[in-house]
Amino acid sequence: MRKLSENRSPEKLLKIGELAEQTDVAVGTIRYYETLELIEPTHRSESGYRYYTADAVKRVQFIKKAQSLQFSLSEIQQILGVRHQGDPACPLVRDLLDRKIAELDVQLDRIKMLKVELEAYRDRWTDRPLDDPDSQELCSLIEEVAEHTLSSD
Amino acid sequence: MRKLSENRSPEKLLKIGELAEQTDVAVGTIRYYETLELIEPTHRSESGYRYYTADAVKRVQFIKKAQSLQFSLSEIQQILGVRHQGDPACPLVRDLLDRKIAELDVQLDRIKMLKVELEAYRDRWTDRPLDDPDSQELCSLIEEVAEHTLSSD
DNA sequence: CTTGACTCTATAGTCGGCTATAGAGTTTAA
DNA sequence: TTAAACTCTATAGCCGACTATAGAGTCAAG
C-alpha cells in the first residue's frame, strides 16, 4: 500500500550524522535515544556504523514533537513501545493525552495563583516609599514576605 | 527596638534537628542551604554542633515560601545576600518580582497553546473509530502526529 | 556510665535529558 | 595513499535540589 512511493532513490540509508543533520538533533542525542529504545538503526555495518532509513527522520521528529508537547522520553517510549506488542496503542495514547491535558489544567491554575500572589507582593512593595525607615536594616519586602510566610502558610 | 519582645525564654538556641522539625525541612537540606550561603548557624559549639536562634526558622520558611513562588535557590540567595551589603535590596527584589511575573505570563501562554494543541490531537483521535483499518499496523494517532510533525513544524 | 539518639564531615548517588571526552577504528575525496 | 572527517564504545560530567551513606564523635536520660 505504501510501496508505490515516488521516492526514486530506492533505499538511501543515512548515517547517524546525516540523520542528525536532517532532524537538527545532536548525534549524541540520537545514540542516547537508542539506549532508551526510542529508536534503532535498521542496519549496522560490519564496522558497527549505524544506518537508518528515512523513517528514522520521522521518528526523531515525532520524538521532538512529543517532547515539545510536554511528554517525557519515558512516556514517548511507552507510546512508541506498544507498537511492538502489535496491539492497541490507541487507548494508551488517548489516556496519555487526557492525563496530559489534565496536568496542564493543574499547571495553569497553579501558575495563575502564583501570579496573583506575586503581584500582591509587588504591589504592596511598590506602595512603600523607598526611604521607608523599615528599609533601614533589611529590605522591607523580605521582612514582609518572611512575616507573611509565618502567618499565612 | 525589637528587644522588648515578650518572648520569655531569653534565647533558646535550636539544634539543627529542632530547626528541621519546626520548619519541616530535612536536616540535610538545611546543611545544603548552608553550603549555598542561604543560612548560617548563629553559633557553633566546640564540638561543631550548629545552634540557631528563632530567626532561623523564619529564614527557612522564607526560603520555602520563595521556592513555592518559583524562585530558584540562587535567586533567593541574591535576595538574602544583598542584605550583607547593607544596601538597597529593594530594587533588586522589585526587579525579580517583575521578571518572575513576566515569566509566568510566558508560561501561561505556552501552556495554553499546548493545551489547545493536545486537545486538537485528542479530538481528531476520538473521531476515528477504533477499528479503523489505519490502526492495523500502528496506532493511527502516532502516525498522525508524526505526519503532522513533518508538515507543520 | 552506658546506651541510644543525635550530630559532624565528606563523598556519592538520584532524576531527566542531555553534552563532552578519550582513544580507537572507518570511510571518502583528493 | 594519505589525511580529514566521520563513527564507534565507554565513561564522566552537567544542571538543580536534594537524599543517602559511612564512619566518627557528642549529648542527655536513666
Side-chain angles (χ1 to χ4, degrees):
Chain A
M1 238 179 214
R2 59 158 55 88
K3 55 175 57 159
L4 305 179
S5 74
E6 57 277 80
N7 210 324
R8 55 231 114 350
S9 47
E11 287 253 354
K12 154 85 174 148
L13 294 179
L14 305 167
K15 283 194 286 191
I16 197 167
E18 296 165 319
L19 176 56
E21 203 183 354
Q22 286 190 34
T23 55
D24 201 33
V25 160
V27 166
T29 302
I30 294 171
R31 286 197 278 245
Y32 171 63
Y33 287 167
E34 189 175 332
T35 69
L36 301 182
E37 309 194 281
L38 294 176
I39 194 170
E40 224 183 346
T42 38
H43 176 70
R44 284 266 197 161
S45 74
E46 273 183 46
S47 55
Y49 276 35
R50 291 164 176 87
Y51 285 94
Y52 300 89
T53 58
D55 287 358
V57 176
K58 284 193 200 175
R59 190 170 256 252
V60 172
Q61 282 168 338
F62 173 73
I63 294 168
K64 285 283 144 197
K65 182 67 180 181
Q67 274 191 307
S68 82
L69 293 172
Q70 307 269 78
F71 288 95
S72 68
L73 293 181
S74 101
E75 284 168 330
I76 296 170
Q77 191 199 14
Q78 285 173 60
I79 298 174
L80 293 171
V82 282
R83 159 184 213 178
H84 290 309
Q85 276 106 34
D87 43 6
C90 312
L92 167 75
V93 173
R94 188 191 304 210
D95 238 57
L96 276 175
L97 283 173
D98 281 340
R99 269 190 275 137
K100 198 56 75 178
I101 290 166
E103 268 172 41
L104 290 184
D105 279 331
V106 171
Q107 283 184 46
L108 279 178
D109 284 351
R110 172 169 160 68
I111 293 178
K112 282 179 195 159
M113 280 171 10
L114 276 177
K115 194 184 162 191
V116 167
E117 202 171 350
L118 284 177
E119 281 170 342
Y121 284 127
R122 184 188 52 186
D123 295 347
R124 204 151 353 119
W125 156 262
T126 303
D127 290 347
R128 190 180 285 262
L130 276 173
D131 49 351
D132 184 313
D134 279 3
S135 301
Q136 251 183 339
E137 194 190 327
L138 185 63
C139 170
S140 59
L141 184 75
I142 297 178
E143 295 277 74
E144 253 189 67
V145 173
E147 236 146 309
H148 235 254
T149 299
L150 285 174
S151 38
S152 79
D153 211 14
Chain B
M1 244 178 213
R2 58 159 57 89
K3 53 176 61 156
L4 307 178
S5 73
E6 56 276 81
N7 212 323
R8 57 228 114 348
S9 47
E11 287 254 353
K12 155 85 174 152
L13 294 179
L14 304 167
K15 282 194 285 192
I16 197 167
E18 296 165 319
L19 176 57
E21 204 184 351
Q22 285 191 33
T23 55
D24 201 35
V25 160
V27 166
T29 303
I30 294 172
R31 286 197 277 247
Y32 171 63
Y33 288 168
E34 189 174 330
T35 69
L36 300 182
E37 309 195 279
L38 293 177
I39 193 169
E40 222 184 346
T42 36
H43 176 71
R44 283 266 196 163
S45 75
E46 273 184 46
S47 54
Y49 276 36
R50 292 165 177 85
Y51 286 94
Y52 301 89
T53 57
D55 286 359
V57 176
K58 284 193 198 173
R59 190 168 257 253
V60 172
Q61 282 169 336
F62 173 73
I63 294 168
K64 285 285 146 197
K65 182 67 178 181
Q67 274 190 308
S68 82
L69 293 173
Q70 306 269 80
F71 288 94
S72 69
L73 292 182
S74 100
E75 285 168 329
I76 295 169
Q77 193 200 14
Q78 285 173 60
I79 297 175
L80 292 173
V82 281
R83 161 185 211 175
H84 290 309
Q85 277 106 32
D87 40 0
C90 312
L92 167 75
V93 173
R94 188 191 303 211
D95 236 58
L96 276 175
L97 283 172
D98 280 340
R99 269 191 274 138
K100 199 54 75 177
I101 290 166
E103 268 173 41
L104 290 185
D105 279 331
V106 170
Q107 282 184 46
L108 278 178
D109 283 352
R110 172 168 159 69
I111 294 177
K112 283 180 195 158
M113 280 172 11
L114 276 176
K115 193 184 163 192
V116 167
E117 201 172 351
L118 284 177
E119 280 170 343
Y121 284 128
R122 183 188 55 186
D123 295 348
R124 202 151 355 118
W125 156 261
T126 304
D127 290 347
R128 192 179 283 263
L130 277 172
D131 50 350
D132 184 312
D134 279 1
S135 302
Q136 252 182 338
E137 195 191 323
L138 185 63
C139 170
S140 59
L141 183 73
I142 297 177
E143 296 276 73
E144 252 190 66
V145 174
E147 236 147 308
H148 235 254
T149 298
L150 285 175
S151 38
S152 78
D153 210 13

